[in-house]
Amino acid sequence: MEADREAAPDERPSRRTAKVADVRRHGQPPGLKDRRNEEHWAGRIYMRSLSPYFAWAALRVGFSPNQLTYMMIVSGVLAGFVVSLPATGTAALWTALGGAVLIQLYLLLDCVDGEVARYLRRTSVGGVYLDRIGHYLSEVALLTGLGFAAQGDWTTGGYVELGLLAALGAALIKAETDNVVVARAKSGLPADPTGGDRALRPRSTRIALARQAASMLKFHRIIGAVELSLLILAAAALDVVLGTDTPAAMRVLAVVVAVVAVLQTLLHLVSILASRRLN
């Protein structure tokens, strides 16, 4: 009965008879890869080409969209834990590689859960909420893991505090964005402001130019889970090459990430307050 309901409106095959082409057609709406503000560059370049195969497998096995989202969250949080494991030299390189692989799995599941939800017509507010929570937890976990990796052990210290500071910044940046929708809803306004991209631009010319310059440099991306996992891997590899007694490259990365997180938190807040998003 459930399969019949799924196939009725547009005659899409049931989840057990679907093909990869069906998943692409019904799970990836037109223009999905062109959503610059929502679709990650890795999704556009390669992950959206791979994800339909895994979405097809998930449909066949019987996973629900929310189950896939929970697996996404576990992968992201586990990546932070693996990165934080006390290790030195080549062992630290393996933990960094494990974290990077888990983040790729996290990104894959982030694509797959949405494709399965759209195929089954089970998109929901609850699913969107759970997805957002997953991104919060995963980025916070990875940044915290970086702090412990830079410290070199599961002990308190300055680098652990830098990791926690960066994690707080990443969470606040997401909260600043999400609270635009909350503030508009509480004021009786639609979620998206009128004016499209114009509403996102600051009204001040100087702030607009500063925002454009920061966007071109893309320094804010280093606190994103995918980019950060690759930087952690690169830092671990550099530490192996340098052969130092302490994870010097990892510590430099922790400092840079903390500084970027603090600056981005402030700049993002100013950008929102100076734009038309709250009008």
Side-chain angles (χ1 to χ4, degrees):
M1 293 296 292
E2 181 182 357
D4 292 340
R5 287 198 301 270
E6 291 170 3
D10 55 9
E11 298 182 351
R12 70 183 63 183
S14 69
R15 65 184 304 157
R16 290 179 177 80
T17 59
K19 298 179 180 178
V20 173
D22 298 317
V23 176
R24 285 200 183 97
R25 183 180 307 111
H26 302 290
Q28 293 186 344
L32 181 66
K33 294 182 180 181
D34 299 327
R35 301 184 306 179
R36 294 284 172 176
N37 293 331
E38 298 180 37
E39 187 68 15
H40 194 274
W41 60 264
R44 294 193 301 271
I45 293 174
Y46 63 89
M47 198 58 81
R48 286 294 181 184
S49 298
L50 297 174
S51 59
Y53 295 95
F54 292 89
W56 169 82
L59 286 168
R60 287 295 185 94
V61 172
F63 286 123
S64 71
N66 282 355
Q67 287 173 333
L68 293 165
T69 304
Y70 282 121
M71 285 190 277
M72 178 199 81
I73 295 172
V74 170
S75 297
V77 173
L78 189 58
F81 172 75
V82 170
V83 165
S84 75
L85 291 173
T88 58
T90 306
L93 182 59
W94 281 109
T95 59
L97 178 60
V101 170
L102 284 165
I103 288 299
Q104 289 298 311
L105 178 60
Y106 153 86
L107 177 61
L108 173 64
L109 290 168
D110 189 31
C111 294
V112 170
D113 64 356
E115 291 170 3
V116 170
R118 283 186 289 271
Y119 192 91
L120 298 176
R121 300 187 190 85
R122 292 185 187 172
T123 56
S124 65
V125 175
V128 173
Y129 178 81
L130 186 61
D131 185 79
R132 294 296 300 171
I133 292 296
H135 291 306
Y136 274 71
L137 291 174
S138 299
E139 290 195 4
V140 165
L142 189 60
L143 287 161
T144 304
L146 169 62
F148 280 105
Q151 191 68 34
D153 201 351
W154 280 346
T155 57
T156 58
Y159 292 103
V160 174
E161 292 169 0
L162 286 175
L164 292 172
L165 178 63
L168 175 62
L172 286 174
I173 291 167
K174 290 186 179 298
E176 288 169 357
T177 300
D178 291 344
N179 273 291
V180 171
V181 178
V182 174
R184 292 181 65 85
K186 284 184 173 290
S187 301
L189 298 173
D192 296 322
T194 57
D197 291 341
R198 181 174 174 271
L200 303 179
R201 293 196 296 267
R203 285 166 288 194
S204 167
T205 303
R206 291 181 180 179
I207 295 177
L209 290 173
R211 180 178 182 270
Q212 185 177 4
S215 178
M216 290 177 61
L217 292 173
K218 301 187 186 303
F219 70 94
H220 61 283
R221 284 189 173 179
I222 72 170
I223 59 175
V226 174
E227 292 85 353
L228 180 60
S229 68
L230 298 176
L231 287 172
I232 291 173
L233 180 58
L238 183 57
D239 281 329
V240 171
V241 172
L242 294 174
T244 55
D245 295 332
T246 58
M250 198 73 74
R251 290 181 172 182
V252 170
L253 178 60
V255 172
V256 172
V257 165
V259 171
V260 168
V262 171
L263 288 176
Q264 182 64 12
T265 301
L266 296 174
L267 292 174
H268 190 56
L269 178 62
V270 171
S271 176
I272 289 173
L273 293 174
S275 71
R276 299 172 176 82
R277 279 180 272 190
L278 299 177
N279 294 340

